[in-house]
Amino acid sequence: MGKIVKYFAFISGGLALVLVAAILIVPSLVDVQKYKPVIEEKLADATGRKVSLGGDIKLSLFPWVGVSLADFQIANPEGFAEATFLQVNAFQAHVKVMPLLSREIYVDKIVLDGPQVYLEKRKDGKVNWQGFGSPETAASKPSAAVKDPKESPAEESSGFAVKSIEVGEFALKDGKIVYADAQQGTSTTVSDISLLLKDVSLTRPLGVDFSATFEGKPIGLQGQIGPLASAGGALGKGIIPVDLSVNIADQLQATLIGQLEDVVGDMRYSFGLNTESFSLRDLAKALGVENFPVQTTDPKVLNTLELALKATGTASSAAIQGGSFTLDDSKLTFEANVASFSPLNLSASAALDTIDLDRYLPPPAETETASANGGGSAAPATAQKKTDYSGLRAITLDTKFSAGTVKIKGGTVENVVVQLKGKRGLFTVEPMSVDLYNGALSGSTEVDVRKDAPLTKVAVNTTGVQVGPLLHDFAGKDILEGALASQLTLSFRGDTPEAIKKSLDGKGLLTFTDGAIVGVDLAGMVRNVQASFGLAEKPTEKPKTDFAELQAPFTITDGLVDTPGTTLTSPLIRVAAAGSAHLVSEKLNMKVHPKFVASLKGQGDTSERSGVMVPILIGGTFNQPTFAPDLAGLLQGGLPDVNALQEALQQELKPKKENSGEETDAIEQGIKNLIPQFKF
């Protein structure tokens, strides 16, 4: 019996020795290189591209199953600038043998050295990353058979079911990605790509260390993801924690903390994104942008930005809560909910505390230069490409924006509220309200893009708006003062200036009260005859024509603006105007009736007065208007009551008349000179 055991041990040891020797010797005896053409052919069939293995293939069997290769290449299809799509300088992987028997995979290391990917888009729009796979193989592949519901789970899950996967180290070194777009004439390079994953396991958090150089500037990503599977659970099932930090050029630091759930099924996610305060100008400079692309009036803006938000969602929906964005001295809070991405169904709200948009506009010098270059005659009309609104007909919107204070073009508005809704191609902006210059503006807008040419309707109302400071701040003009109350409705079809002018319809009423026309003092000219003829010293203050009310009703039909009776009530003068202005032909046809009246009561006096009627005809075009007296209208107006006018002037100047008789003579002579054809 002892001899049998001794012989058995001897034989077993010999077999083991032979097996070990075979494992060690076989790789050196088998010429793996002669199988390279077969491997290249199989890979070419699988990818549909030419594949080459330029270096030697090395194989080991124990204690690790190891393989290494060099100079692996996948070619580009014909017609692309680069011959190679993918190139790998070297690859090696080691897998432990014995755990494979227990359906456990233990990988010592996987190293990918010098991978280079060349992505290319041709001028005709074709790209080199499409078209992988053999057409013959795809065509011959049988369609998936309908599963028999009675099929046993064992039969359904037959194959090599992996219990666990562990990788000691996965390293990608010195990678490079180049993207060339021939249509745009641009090329982008990401080089020095490095990715290191250590102690990889499905049931433990996965540490991530990624770095690269984008256009010569460093970017990085560090953190951990996982575990990718719970203990005993399936890969991608359950909750996968994520904790990542991003560093771009040492200027932008951001963190992404949250979780993924059921990645391989009905994926859901929940993340919190936060950035530290950063300067967009410094970031651009660090990334090698020589000329900052945004030119602003204030060079100090865009130096303080910060973003924070929480996002949840699925593959087809998303929601943002608690969003906060800081831009220099302004802060925007926002929320959004995307019920579906295709078609888009978005509801959102945003609130801005204050912003000075003038700081972000281009410098005035550039604006003036552009205006000077474009001034004078209009540029020749060019055919505009027809806008396709089909995409807007599918989306649904429900958004609201509010702002405390907004400064733009020197002007300031407050308490801005705009709500935009849209569905099936019909969009409405209502309410639309803003407080400005001691008054308020409210209105609504409707844009209908259900047909090829959009139909737009606008309604605007203002109350108590002080137009003097408004024009001064927004336009730098001092031409009109007073409180504006207005009501107007407009509608037009089309999206080009020509179409809008031709189809413009509407009506409105503009009423200015307790104001003045700045730059001319009609009443003063009558009071002071010497000033009328330039014989007196010029006044130090800017002249004005005060009025109690300036009212301008109008209608618009197919671009023809008609005002039946614009009126101005002012001391010593009443003005009535009627006529039309054609927006398409830009022709004017107006008649103005100025009337000097025998009253200096001015504002608030609406009684019918007699005086000198000198009608004026306004014709020509917007660019070259013409003015001429209406002699026929002058005769039809009848003789003026000159005595009443003289009496009113003398009454107004009575305190001065007591001091000087010469002034009375000057007034009388001035009136005679003003109206020489009448005798006094």
Side-chain angles (χ1 to χ4, degrees):
M1 185 68 180
K3 289 183 177 181
I4 296 175
V5 174
K6 184 178 180 180
Y7 288 141
F8 180 77
F10 180 77
I11 294 171
S12 299
L15 291 174
L17 182 61
V18 171
L19 179 60
V20 172
I23 293 175
L24 296 175
I25 296 173
V26 166
S28 62
L29 295 179
V30 177
D31 185 9
V32 183
Q33 311 308 318
K34 71 178 183 180
Y35 293 101
K36 283 172 53 177
V38 178
I39 297 174
E40 292 174 346
E41 182 181 354
K42 295 297 183 183
L43 290 175
D45 290 341
T47 61
R49 307 279 182 92
K50 182 181 178 181
V51 177
S52 64
L53 290 167
D56 292 339
I57 300 176
K58 296 181 180 180
L59 180 67
S60 63
L61 296 180
F62 194 82
W64 304 88
V65 175
V67 62
S68 64
L69 53 88
D71 195 16
F72 173 77
Q73 296 185 23
I74 299 178
N76 261 329
E78 293 184 0
F80 288 90
E82 287 289 338
T84 304
F85 171 76
L86 170 66
Q87 178 178 342
V88 179
N89 293 338
F91 171 82
Q92 59 176 311
H94 295 159
V95 181
K96 207 166 187 178
V97 177
M98 298 308 295
L100 293 175
L101 302 176
S102 302
R103 295 179 299 170
E104 297 175 341
I105 299 177
Y106 288 90
V107 180
D108 174 36
K109 63 180 178 179
I110 300 175
V111 179
L112 202 59
D113 187 11
Q116 300 180 29
V117 180
Y118 297 92
L119 305 176
E120 186 178 346
K121 184 177 184 180
R122 301 191 318 197
K123 289 185 177 181
D124 60 5
K126 291 185 179 180
V127 294
N128 67 339
W129 58 85
Q130 293 180 345
F132 274 98
S134 172
E136 293 80 5
T137 304
S140 61
K141 187 179 294 184
S143 59
V146 179
K147 291 183 179 180
D148 186 352
K150 297 180 181 179
E151 183 180 12
S152 65
E155 292 175 340
E156 184 179 351
S157 61
S158 61
F160 185 79
V162 178
K163 286 185 178 181
S164 65
I165 299 177
E166 292 192 12
V167 179
E169 176 183 317
F170 175 87
L172 187 153
K173 303 177 181 178
D174 197 23
K176 181 179 180 181
I177 299 175
V178 178
Y179 173 64
D181 188 338
Q183 286 185 333
Q184 302 296 327
T186 59
S187 178
T188 304
T189 301
V190 181
S191 59
D192 302 325
I193 300 174
S194 174
L195 175 62
L196 180 62
L197 307 177
K198 284 191 173 182
D199 194 20
V200 179
S201 172
L202 298 181
T203 57
R204 292 193 299 272
L206 172 63
V208 178
D209 188 353
F210 170 82
S211 63
T213 301
F214 176 75
E215 296 295 335
K217 302 302 176 182
I219 58 176
L221 174 66
Q222 293 80 33
Q224 63 180 29
I225 302 176
L228 301 179
S230 57
L235 177 65
K237 292 289 186 179
I239 295 176
I240 301 176
V242 176
D243 187 349
L244 299 173
S245 61
V246 178
N247 185 327
I248 300 179
D250 295 328
Q251 295 295 327
L252 173 59
Q253 288 79 36
T255 59
L256 184 68
I257 302 175
Q259 64 183 33
L260 296 169
E261 187 174 353
D262 197 9
V263 176
V264 298
D266 185 14
M267 185 192 71
R268 296 176 295 280
Y269 60 85
S270 175
F271 290 110
L273 173 64
N274 292 272
T275 69
E276 296 182 10
S277 179
F278 67 97
S279 167
L280 192 60
R281 295 181 184 272
D282 291 344
L283 177 61
K285 185 177 180 180
L287 291 175
V289 179
E290 296 181 0
N291 298 317
F292 193 65
V294 181
Q295 300 299 315
T296 59
T297 300
D298 186 352
K300 296 181 180 180
V301 298
L302 303 178
N303 273 322
T304 304
L305 290 83
E306 190 173 347
L307 175 66
L309 59 86
K310 295 180 180 179
T312 60
T314 66
S316 59
S317 64
I320 296 176
Q321 303 90 22
S324 174
F325 177 63
T326 299
L327 176 64
D328 299 315
D329 299 326
S330 305
K331 186 173 183 179
L332 177 74
T333 57
F334 58 94
E335 293 186 347
N337 181 67
V338 181
S340 67
F341 289 105
S342 182
L344 179 64
N345 186 342
L346 169 67
S347 59
S349 63
L352 179 67
D353 55 358
T354 181
I355 190 168
D356 183 354
L357 292 176
D358 287 341
R359 301 174 65 194
Y360 300 89
L361 294 176
E366 294 186 7
T367 304
E368 291 170 3
T369 301
S371 176
N373 293 338
S377 60
T382 57
Q384 290 186 327
K385 186 178 180 180
K386 188 175 181 180
T387 305
D388 182 10
Y389 293 98
S390 58
L392 294 177
R393 296 169 192 147
I395 68 174
T396 301
L397 295 177
D398 186 358
T399 62
K400 183 178 181 180
F401 173 78
S402 62
T405 303
V406 179
K407 184 178 179 182
I408 177 69
K409 290 291 185 181
T412 303
V413 298
E414 298 176 320
N415 301 324
V416 179
V417 177
V418 178
Q419 185 164 359
L420 169 64
K421 294 183 178 181
K423 191 174 184 180
R424 298 190 184 94
L426 182 62
F427 297 88
T428 59
V429 179
E430 188 178 10
M432 177 179 65
S433 62
V434 59
D435 294 340
L436 67 165
Y437 296 92
N438 298 330
L441 179 149
S442 62
S444 63
T445 301
E446 179 182 285
V447 181
D448 187 347
V449 297
R450 290 176 291 187
K451 295 183 179 180
D452 291 341
L455 174 63
T456 304
K457 298 179 181 179
V458 180
V460 177
N461 297 288
T462 61
T463 56
V465 177
Q466 294 297 320
V467 296
L470 185 147
L471 291 174
H472 180 272
D473 290 348
F474 280 99
K477 303 291 185 181
D478 291 321
I479 57 176
L480 190 63
E481 296 176 354
L484 169 65
S486 66
Q487 307 87 38
L488 63 90
T489 57
L490 302 173
S491 67
F492 55 86
R493 183 176 290 279
D495 53 10
T496 63
E498 294 76 12
I500 292 173
K501 288 189 289 186
K502 289 180 180 179
S503 61
L504 184 62
D505 294 328
K507 62 180 180 179
L509 174 64
L510 305 178
T511 303
F512 301 87
T513 57
D514 298 330
I517 300 175
V518 182
V520 58
D521 183 2
L522 298 177
M525 290 174 64
V526 176
R527 292 190 186 101
N528 190 337
V529 178
Q530 288 182 325
S532 301
F533 291 94
L535 301 177
E537 295 183 0
K538 294 183 178 180
T540 56
E541 295 184 358
K542 201 169 187 178
K544 297 180 181 180
T545 298
D546 296 331
F547 60 79
E549 183 179 78
L550 171 59
Q551 193 172 74
F554 65 89
T555 60
I556 307 176
T557 304
D558 295 333
L560 179 64
V561 183
D562 180 74
T563 175
T566 295
T567 59
L568 180 145
T569 304
S570 174
L572 281 180
I573 190 171
R574 303 289 187 266
V575 177
S580 62
H582 205 293
L583 299 179
V584 178
S585 64
E586 299 188 351
K587 291 184 178 181
L588 296 169
N589 182 16
M590 302 283 294
K591 179 183 286 189
V592 179
H593 299 268
K595 187 175 186 180
F596 292 100
V597 296
S599 170
L600 290 172
K601 293 183 179 180
Q603 300 176 168
D605 181 17
T606 59
S607 301
E608 188 69 26
R609 304 293 178 183
S610 61
V612 182
M613 289 290 293
V614 185
I616 300 173
L617 298 177
I618 302 177
T621 64
F622 293 172
N623 290 331
Q624 295 181 331
T626 61
F627 302 89
D630 182 12
L631 299 179
L634 177 63
L635 296 176
Q636 293 174 1
L639 296 176
D641 188 352
V642 180
N643 292 328
L645 180 59
Q646 181 180 18
E647 181 181 352
L649 290 170
Q650 292 174 343
Q651 182 66 27
E652 174 66 14
L653 300 173
K654 186 175 182 180
K656 297 181 179 180
K657 186 175 69 172
E658 294 175 356
N659 297 330
S660 174
E662 295 179 357
E663 188 169 357
T664 304
D665 296 337
I667 293 173
E668 293 178 353
Q669 184 61 39
I671 295 175
K672 292 177 180 179
N673 292 334
L674 284 172
I675 317 173
Q677 61 268 47
F678 298 112
K679 294 183 178 181
F680 289 84

Coordinates of all heavy atoms in Angstrom, one line a residue, residues 218-220 246-253 283 286-287:
P218 N -3.7 72.9 -19.3 CA -4.1 71.7 -18.6 C -5.5 71.7 -18.1 O -6.1 72.7 -17.8 CB -3.1 71.8 -17.4 CG -2.9 73.2 -17.2 CD -2.9 73.8 -18.6
I219 N -6.1 70.5 -18.1 CA -7.4 70.3 -17.5 C -7.3 69.0 -16.7 O -6.5 68.1 -17.0 CB -8.5 70.1 -18.6 CG1 -8.2 69.0 -19.6 CG2 -8.7 71.4 -19.3 CD1 -9.3 68.8 -20.6
G220 N -8.1 68.8 -15.7 CA -8.0 67.7 -14.8 C -9.4 67.3 -14.2 O -10.3 68.1 -14.1
V246 N -13.4 69.0 -10.8 CA -12.8 69.4 -12.1 C -11.9 70.6 -11.9 O -12.3 71.5 -11.2 CB -13.9 69.7 -13.1 CG1 -13.3 70.1 -14.4 CG2 -14.8 68.5 -13.3
N247 N -10.8 70.6 -12.6 CA -9.9 71.7 -12.5 C -9.5 72.0 -14.0 O -8.9 71.1 -14.7 CB -8.6 71.4 -11.7 CG -7.7 72.6 -11.6 OD1 -7.6 73.4 -12.5 ND2 -7.0 72.6 -10.5
I248 N -9.8 73.2 -14.4 CA -9.5 73.6 -15.8 C -8.5 74.8 -15.7 O -8.8 75.9 -15.3 CB -10.7 74.0 -16.6 CG1 -11.7 72.9 -16.7 CG2 -10.3 74.5 -18.0 CD1 -13.0 73.2 -17.4
A249 N -7.3 74.5 -16.1 CA -6.2 75.5 -16.3 C -5.9 76.2 -14.9 O -5.5 77.4 -14.9 CB -6.5 76.5 -17.4
D250 N -6.2 75.5 -13.8 CA -6.0 76.1 -12.5 C -6.8 77.4 -12.3 O -6.5 78.2 -11.4 CB -4.5 76.4 -12.3 CG -3.7 75.1 -12.2 OD1 -4.2 74.1 -11.7 OD2 -2.5 75.2 -12.6
Q251 N -7.8 77.6 -13.1 CA -8.7 78.8 -13.0 C -10.1 78.5 -12.6 O -10.8 79.2 -11.9 CB -8.7 79.6 -14.3 CG -7.3 80.1 -14.7 CD -6.8 81.2 -13.7 OE1 -7.6 81.9 -13.2 NE2 -5.5 81.3 -13.5
L252 N -10.6 77.4 -13.1 CA -12.0 77.0 -12.8 C -12.0 75.7 -12.1 O -11.5 74.6 -12.6 CB -12.8 76.8 -14.2 CG -14.2 76.2 -14.0 CD1 -15.0 77.1 -13.2 CD2 -14.8 76.1 -15.4
Q253 N -12.5 75.7 -10.9 CA -12.7 74.5 -10.0 C -14.2 74.3 -9.8 O -14.9 75.2 -9.5 CB -12.0 74.7 -8.7 CG -10.5 74.6 -8.7 CD -9.8 75.9 -9.2 OE1 -10.3 77.0 -8.8 NE2 -8.8 75.8 -10.0
L283 N -9.6 82.8 -17.2 CA -9.7 81.5 -17.7 C -9.3 81.5 -19.2 O -8.6 80.6 -19.7 CB -11.1 80.9 -17.5 CG -11.4 79.5 -18.1 CD1 -10.5 78.5 -17.5 CD2 -12.9 79.2 -17.9
A286 N -5.7 81.9 -19.6 CA -4.9 80.6 -19.2 C -5.1 79.6 -20.3 O -4.2 78.7 -20.5 CB -5.4 80.1 -17.9
L287 N -6.2 79.6 -21.0 CA -6.4 78.6 -22.1 C -5.7 79.1 -23.4 O -5.9 78.4 -24.5 CB -7.9 78.4 -22.3 CG -8.6 77.6 -21.2 CD1 -10.1 77.6 -21.5 CD2 -8.0 76.2 -21.0

